[in-house]
Amino acid sequence: MSWWEDTDADDDDEPWGAFDESSARVRPNPKGSRPRTKVRPAHQDATPGWVTGVDRGRYAVLIDQGLAGADGRTVVATKARELGRKSVVTGDHVSLVGDLSGEPGTLARVVRVADRTTFLRRSADDTDDVERVIVANADQLLIVVAAADPEPRPRLVDRYLVAAFDAGLDPILCITKTDRADPGSFLDHFACLDLRIVTSARDAVPLDAFHTVLDGHVTVAVGHSGVGKSTLVNALTGADRATGVVNAVTGRGRHTSSSSVALRVRDGGWIIDTPGVRSFGLGHIDPANVFRAFAAHAVPVRPPADGIPLAEAHDWEIVDRVAEGELGPTGVERLDSFRALLTALGEDDPATE
Ligand SMILES: Nc1nc2c(ncn2[C@@H]2O[C@H](COP(=O)(O)OP(=O)(O)OP(=O)(O)O)[C@@H](O)[C@H]2O)c(=O)[nH]1
Ligand SMILES: [Mg+2]
């Protein structure tokens, strides 16, 4: 938001009366030049902060981070009325005014939200193009899948790869619960990908491997309920996020975490724990980005002929038919996944015509 759009009528306590033109009398101008408007400058003295959590209209915002090597402190804030329906999510860079003491019971106000460098979105399902931004300004997506309980599914990983690509995040695949099953055959599905992979177990979290991928980054952990995101985040950060149990019959988690929270990784970097979702809808995603995501992740897809917009292209080649026989079982399977995603998104699948 630009400063001239800032018309917060509630901010009479702000020290900017000298700039306030709202009390000036506005005379009709017979020459018809632009009338004076009620303009206030922005909260120029607002304090920058980073949103580390959102809970029912309250935002945990980290301020003074990095000042003289300080870890910063967290204040609780609400959204200023002037922001209207603009969403504020975990990872947003914001500006705060009001009580910044962080004392219990105090509330600061978020008056500005900076442009987001990235945002991870999902929709309720693939036919729903209403998107929800889950997390802003992260740069990596940790796709968490359990080796067992719940059973891993390669196509879900493909969905997350598409989401990562769409959001501008670098993907990392994390297999948890390796004490429960050998992830080897599951990982075979991704053998043809140039994908960073970390395997982990609750009682043997490979801290060095995580340090290598997490240090210096803001990483969002996503995955089904019960795969062990919070368990892992606790191990990496020393936090005490609640963890749930997986239903032995349905193999599903209990949706223990209900909001996204950013936590400092002990060995460097930030990790954002998110609530497990049953489905990760991609309805808002441009099919062109599905194509680009698969192309980026080593599936032999080819762009449509020159000049044909992807969405309209009926003759675009997903893969060279001749080459298809040479793809090998994993390549063919990933191609199927690609086609299934396009179909789910309502795109014509040339391969079935
Ligand atoms: N055997 C085994 N169990 C694990 C491991 N990691 C997590 N668990 C268990 O799996 C269950 C679910 O873990 P959570 O960390 O709550 O899973 P989550 O992904 O955060 O789930 P939601 O918050 O519902 O999305 C808990 O009972 C954990 O103790 C692991 O590596 N091995
Ligand atoms: Mg959790």
Side-chain angles (χ1 to χ4, degrees):
M1 181 166 67
S2 309
W3 67 267
W4 56 83
E5 292 172 291
D6 182 354
T7 56
D8 186 357
D10 296 328
D11 290 335
D12 294 337
D13 52 336
E14 298 304 326
W16 55 9
F19 301 100
D20 186 354
E21 297 181 324
S22 60
S23 59
R25 290 182 54 189
V26 178
R27 276 174 298 165
N29 184 335
K31 293 196 179 119
S33 65
R34 281 172 48 185
R36 300 179 72 189
T37 51
K38 182 186 170 209
V39 173
R40 287 170 186 250
H43 302 268
Q44 282 158 334
D45 56 349
T47 300
W50 190 57
V51 178
T52 57
V54 179
D55 187 14
R56 286 162 289 177
R58 294 285 185 269
Y59 306 94
V61 185
L62 182 68
I63 61 171
D64 292 348
Q65 192 197 0
L67 283 185
D71 281 350
R73 69 175 189 282
T74 298
V75 302
V76 178
T78 179
K79 195 165 73 170
R81 231 175 34 192
E82 68 212 59
L83 289 182
R85 293 167 61 86
K86 188 173 178 58
S87 73
V88 178
V89 300
T90 300
D92 265 328
H93 293 288
V94 296
S95 300
L96 289 179
V97 299
D99 191 333
L100 304 182
S101 65
E103 295 295 324
T106 59
L107 262 189
R109 271 175 302 136
V110 175
V111 291
R112 267 196 305 271
V113 182
D115 289 344
R116 295 165 175 159
T117 54
T118 65
F119 44 92
L120 179 65
R121 314 173 286 171
R122 75 175 180 94
S123 34
D125 61 50
D126 290 338
T127 57
D128 179 2
D129 57 10
V130 178
E131 66 187 52
R132 252 188 72 202
V133 173
I134 310 172
V135 165
N137 301 318
D139 65 331
Q140 301 193 126
L141 188 71
L142 189 72
I143 302 168
V144 186
V145 175
D149 307 326
E151 229 28 62
R153 286 187 299 148
R155 289 197 177 179
L156 183 69
V157 176
D158 281 338
R159 281 181 169 266
Y160 283 125
L161 289 176
V162 171
F165 185 88
D166 180 68
L169 307 179
D170 279 341
I172 303 155
L173 180 59
C174 171
I175 313 288
T176 56
K177 308 198 188 185
T178 51
D179 53 307
R180 302 277 295 108
D182 178 354
S185 57
F186 178 74
L187 287 175
D188 285 347
H189 293 290
F190 307 100
C192 61
L193 297 194
D194 182 17
L195 186 59
R196 288 177 295 166
I197 297 171
V198 184
T199 56
S200 180
R202 184 176 48 194
D203 301 321
V205 175
L207 295 177
D208 285 350
F210 278 109
H211 176 65
T212 305
V213 296
L214 300 181
D215 189 21
H217 296 280
V218 177
T219 305
V220 195
V222 293
H224 269 173
S225 178
V227 294
K229 298 178 294 299
S230 301
T231 304
L232 175 66
V233 164
N234 286 346
L236 294 171
T237 66
D240 191 20
R241 296 271 285 166
T243 57
V245 287
V246 174
N247 184 304
V249 179
T250 63
R252 284 183 172 163
R254 292 213 173 144
H255 296 273
T256 306
S257 307
S258 58
S259 66
S260 300
V261 173
L263 295 155
R264 200 189 297 268
V265 180
R266 269 194 287 229
D267 291 342
W270 286 85
I271 190 155
I272 301 180
D273 188 17
T274 66
V277 290
R278 216 150 261 151
S279 65
F280 200 90
L282 298 175
H284 57 281
I285 286 186
D286 180 351
N289 268 358
V290 178
F291 162 75
R292 292 194 196 98
F294 272 77
H297 295 299
V299 162
V301 287
R302 290 171 188 235
D306 269 358
I308 302 175
L310 188 66
E312 292 165 22
H314 291 280
D315 61 346
W316 56 297
E317 300 170 276
I318 286 185
V319 65
D320 189 349
R321 300 292 165 94
V322 181
E324 193 162 359
E326 296 158 25
L327 280 176
T330 8
V332 169
E333 190 186 313
R334 293 191 46 72
L335 203 56
D336 282 348
S337 178
F338 174 66
R339 288 169 174 153
L341 257 178
L342 282 184
T343 309
L345 296 179
E347 186 72 354
D348 287 335
D349 181 350
T352 58
E353 284 174 359

